[in-house]
Amino acid sequence: MKTKTLAAIFIISGILWIQFLAAAEDYSEWKEVARLSVTAVVAPYTSVKLSVNEIAFDIKGEPGDYDANQGVSITVGSNQSKWSVHAKANELIPESDKASPLPSSRLAFSINDENDFKDLGESRLLIEGEAARPPTAFTLNFRLTTAWEDLPGTYRGDIIFSFLSSP
Amino acid sequence: MNILRSLIIVSILTLPVVPLAYAEDDPLVRLAVKAKIKSNVHIEWEKLPDIDPRYIAFAKNRTTQSVKKNEKALLLPFALLVKLRTNDPTKIVKIHVENLKSEGGKHNIPVERLFLSINGSPDQPFTEDIALLQQQEGSEIKELALLFCLHTTIADKSGKYSANFSFITSDIP
């Protein structure tokens, strides 16, 4: 009796196993039972790096055009489709009350050692780029034009670099 | 309890309104600029010989002055055309002349007997250095015609005399 029962269980389980395998082979019969939604947000990334925080002009001679003590390396990286970097100067304010500010238009720049200097009295396009472009360093040279009306002393100001993107 | 439930429902309904994307602010990078301007004086001169028409014109315009009885006025045969400019309103530029010395250095004529006429103005003796550029005159270029007149006496030995002229600047605090 025991043998018959065991044989019956063995046969039935074998049949069930074969049916299960047959069903598993038929993929078309698989049905979606759950869906997991995945959202990846790639944030706009921009990096504008300057090699120095400050440039200086040491004007010892007669008024004229003077180059800054050093060039500035600017490196821009972005994942935005199109981007551009613009620069504009603020006027240089004297430390002394007696002197007048130096207008921002007296500051000028050139890129990659070119001799074509453009004044920074208004916003100027420096560099344009695309996302596919790897970050590249550019060298900026700055020049200050002085006049006889500029009193001796120390003047301070800044140049603002702004980044514009087209996502 | 109902109020709490309503609040939870409202907050759940509100969540999808919050945008997932965000706008990045345009980054600004500042580069500091420092400019140090030093005091500067521009002095440029040209020596005009007595045959130069400009010398002749300057000599004509010069205001002549009376000389002492025992002296004779001798207009030196050259003029200096000087251009001055400075960016420093505290600067004063003066002309300094040393005593006139004869060749070989045996005889002197004191500089006090040398007179200067600036742009035709009356002669000023070189009892002290004479100012060519005063304070606050600086940024515009100043052109001056300098004529020199020497008052000689019978005691002065004949000969060729020379003197050093120099421009000096000073700061007035």
Side-chain angles (χ1 to χ4, degrees):
Chain A
M1 184 64 185
K2 264 187 181 176
T3 313
K4 281 183 181 176
T5 308
L6 282 171
I9 290 168
F10 181 76
I11 291 165
I12 291 165
S13 62
I15 291 165
L16 289 172
W17 183 244
I18 289 164
Q19 283 180 342
F20 174 76
L21 287 176
E25 281 174 4
D26 189 0
Y27 291 99
S28 62
E29 290 183 13
W30 282 39
K31 289 182 180 175
E32 182 179 296
V33 291
R35 179 182 287 257
L36 176 64
S37 176
V38 178
T39 305
V41 178
V42 179
Y45 165 79
T46 299
S47 160
V48 179
K49 287 180 186 170
L50 300 177
S51 58
V52 293
N53 293 326
E54 183 180 86
I55 54 170
F57 296 90
D58 200 9
I59 296 149
K60 289 178 178 168
E62 294 196 356
D65 294 336
Y66 287 86
D67 291 336
N69 58 345
Q70 59 182 316
V72 177
S73 176
I74 181 170
T75 310
V76 185
S78 178
N79 62 354
Q80 305 197 57
S81 57
K82 281 191 174 178
W83 53 262
S84 56
V85 176
H86 300 251
K88 186 183 182 304
N90 288 325
E91 62 183 7
L92 303 185
I93 307 295
E95 287 181 349
S96 158
D97 294 340
K98 293 175 185 172
S100 301
L102 306 183
S104 56
S105 56
R106 301 262 206 89
L107 274 168
F109 77 98
S110 77
I111 296 180
N112 290 342
D113 297 324
E114 286 177 8
N115 216 12
D116 180 25
F117 279 82
K118 291 174 184 169
D119 80 79
L120 288 164
E122 57 188 88
S123 184
R124 297 282 187 185
L125 172 67
L126 293 184
I127 314 161
E128 283 180 302
E130 294 176 354
R133 184 172 166 178
T136 312
F138 296 86
T139 303
L140 299 175
N141 296 307
F142 293 95
R143 179 171 283 181
L144 177 66
T145 303
T146 60
W148 284 104
E149 292 74 24
D150 304 331
L151 299 187
T154 302
Y155 298 74
R156 291 179 191 276
D158 51 23
I159 298 167
I160 295 171
F161 297 83
S162 54
F163 182 89
L164 297 177
S165 61
S166 311
Chain B
M1 192 66 183
N2 283 338
I3 294 170
L4 184 63
R5 191 179 295 166
S6 303
L7 280 173
I8 292 168
I9 291 167
V10 166
S11 62
I12 289 168
L13 288 173
T14 317
L15 279 176
V17 177
V18 178
L20 290 173
Y22 66 94
E24 186 189 23
D25 290 335
D26 288 337
L28 294 176
V29 179
R30 284 177 190 273
L31 177 66
V33 180
K34 180 180 171 186
K36 268 189 180 178
I37 299 179
K38 294 280 171 71
S39 177
N40 187 267
V41 179
H42 174 90
I43 303 173
E44 181 186 335
W45 70 90
E46 183 185 358
K47 190 175 176 182
L48 305 179
D50 58 357
I51 55 167
D52 191 298
R54 289 173 291 175
Y55 172 90
I56 296 164
F58 295 146
K60 270 186 186 174
N61 289 336
R62 174 175 158 262
T63 309
T64 51
Q65 276 185 307
S66 58
V67 292
K68 291 177 185 172
K69 274 186 181 177
N70 58 343
E71 290 181 352
K72 188 180 173 187
L74 175 68
L75 191 63
L76 299 190
F78 67 89
L80 286 181
L81 193 60
V82 184
K83 292 179 182 176
L84 299 165
R85 202 174 205 186
T86 181
N87 64 344
D88 189 345
T90 67
K91 285 282 183 195
I92 292 176
V93 180
K94 292 182 175 183
I95 184 168
H96 171 80
V97 186
E98 293 171 358
N99 289 336
L100 288 86
K101 286 183 180 174
S102 64
E103 279 180 330
K106 280 188 179 177
H107 308 293
N108 279 352
I109 298 177
V111 74
E112 289 78 14
R113 283 203 269 131
L114 184 68
F115 292 75
L116 176 67
S117 169
I118 302 172
N119 287 347
S121 66
D123 289 350
Q124 307 172 58
F126 272 100
T127 46
E128 57 184 16
D129 299 331
I130 296 174
L132 300 179
L133 186 75
Q134 297 285 2
Q135 281 182 283
Q136 311 294 338
E137 283 187 327
S139 65
E140 296 297 322
I141 196 159
K142 190 175 181 185
E143 287 192 32
L144 304 172
L146 308 184
L147 285 173
F148 301 89
C149 185
L150 183 65
H151 290 195
T152 58
T153 67
I154 199 153
D156 294 327
K157 303 291 181 190
S158 62
K160 215 174 182 181
Y161 289 79
S162 63
N164 287 326
F165 291 71
S166 55
F167 297 101
I168 55 173
T169 64
S170 58
D171 293 309
I172 301 296

